[in-house]
Amino acid sequence: MTHRMLLRSVAILAICAAGYTAPTAAGAVQVTAFQQAVAENVSRDSQVAAFYRDRGFAPIWTGGTQEDLERRTALLEALSSARHHGLPADRYKPETLLSRMASVRSGYDRGEMEVALTELYLRFARDLQTGIIDEPRSVRRAIVRDVPRRDAQYYLSGLMSESPGAFIAQLAPKSHEYARLMKAKMRLEHRIAHGGWGAPVPMGKLEPGQTGAGVIALRNRLIAMGYLERTVSARYDAPIIEAVQQFQDRHGLVIDGIAGSSTIEEINVTPQERLKSVMVAMERERWINKPEGLGQRHILVNITDFTARIFDDGKLTFETRSVVGHQDFDRQTPEFSDEMDHMVINPSWYVPRSIVVGEYLPKLRANPGALSHMEITDSRGRVVSRNRSFAGYTARNFPFSMRQQPGPRNALGTVKFMFPNKYNIYLHDTPSKSLFDRSVRAFSHGCVRLSDPHDFAHALLALQTDDPEGLFNRYLRTGRETRVNLETPIPVHLIYRTAFTSPKGDVQYRRDIYGRDDAIWNALSAAGVEISGIQS
């Protein structure tokens, strides 16, 4: 039996099972060419097959009813907006679709067209709602986010609602952030179409009071970027100082009003590159487009911005600086979401195995008395004597663990905030406070250190006690390791955004410290995403 004959047999059985057949005069089963084409082609997806089987293989796109017409129109209108969302428009090609629809000549052709429309709709709907990249960790393994994919039944049931156009429109993220990113994308595209931001500024250092060609180039660039009102001044004067400070603030730089090499390097980034950052941010926003949202109260840690924030009902209620994982591949902070359910005051530090064998074991092999502030423990938690040699151990056979007791030198400081996960990532205090004064703060082994951990703890406890500071300090003063549960677990989202917005719509940009945005852009480009109509 040929493959085509097998498909036809399966199709006939499915149609008969659905009861959607017409008997002939002799009592034989009559299967229309349309039914056969639909049944054959939906067999690739069990949910789509079940959907059509349950409705007797009747069309939802290619029939002659007003409802079919409304669904076709809604889909074509939605596909025409794909580029506005940073989606790969050539993946959908509404013009090709219209041409194919016009060429339908038989019932079998119409059946194939019916299934093609359903498959196209499902692909577009999924791209729009939860992202183009099916598996983010295939791009970078530290992007361990679980994307909230919906199944085919969800999309097909929604489409059959009274207003298919409204259902498709609401698939895109409804967050304010996504809407502001879309507007930023449109502004950048407009600027690119009208010549960009002009000539780059010569590298070097420009300071207040200077004059010359470099200052004029800086002035012109700042005007084009919208940071400076039009002026003919050739001096690095007060308006230019203010414009540079504003630029530095929106790009995570030291705000000193001096155009040093770091500032000029960021000023010279092209609008095309900034547009890529915005479009990658839109894709990332789709990855966290959960049905329930991010949470009425949630914690947002933007790795590239080195901040941790608490939001309540969509409003920022607390913010602190953070230190994140180092750029080394095995120390980078991963991206994922989980729920914080407790904090530990006066924590012990149970040293991760990778640090024990990678950093501490070489020191112990050279000197058993090294790292005297740490305890070496066996598998039963008993302290191991240092009156021995560790020289014979390797990373593979070292049988011990290491622990640091609570105290002023503890690597986790006075408190850690736990959202138990398989990556062993959490937020915590640190005795190394000087690092928070730096503009780039990628120094940890992956966990997130907080500049103001006590105030962070008070903010978390404020919902379950009238005196959060007093409660926290009471436990802190004991010096004992104490677990304090959060009565209501709080969603925690570790995100990575090199482009993000403020409530006023201003776009902030940060450096791609781990190179992840570059890798994501390459994946989007390979899928057909374009910059200003030209594939990058």
Side-chain angles (χ1 to χ4, degrees), residues 426-439:
Y426 45 88
L427 314 184
H428 64 88
D429 184 15
T430 175
S432 303
K433 301 294 187 182
S434 63
L435 296 178
F436 293 107
D437 295 330
R438 305 194 187 186
S439 58

Side-chain angles (χ1 to χ4, degrees), residues 445-523:
H445 285 83
C447 286
V448 179
R449 308 172 190 171
L450 302 181
S451 177
D452 303 300
H454 290 192
D455 290 339
F456 187 78
H458 303 160
L460 296 180
L461 294 171
L463 296 188
Q464 59 193 65
T465 176
D466 293 332
D467 184 17
E469 186 173 352
L471 176 66
F472 181 85
N473 288 337
R474 190 159 61 248
Y475 289 123
L476 184 65
R477 284 193 296 268
T478 68
R480 295 192 300 271
E481 188 165 4
T482 306
R483 171 174 171 148
V484 179
N485 291 330
L486 299 179
E487 292 179 358
T488 303
I490 303 173
V492 180
H493 308 285
L494 274 65
I495 65 171
Y496 186 101
R497 300 289 176 86
T498 62
F500 57 97
T501 70
S502 71
K504 294 181 179 179
D506 301 327
V507 184
Q508 299 260 338
Y509 295 101
R510 297 295 183 267
R511 292 179 178 174
D512 187 10
I513 58 170
Y514 297 157
R516 291 181 191 168
D517 266 26
D518 189 49
I520 291 171
W521 175 256
N522 288 339

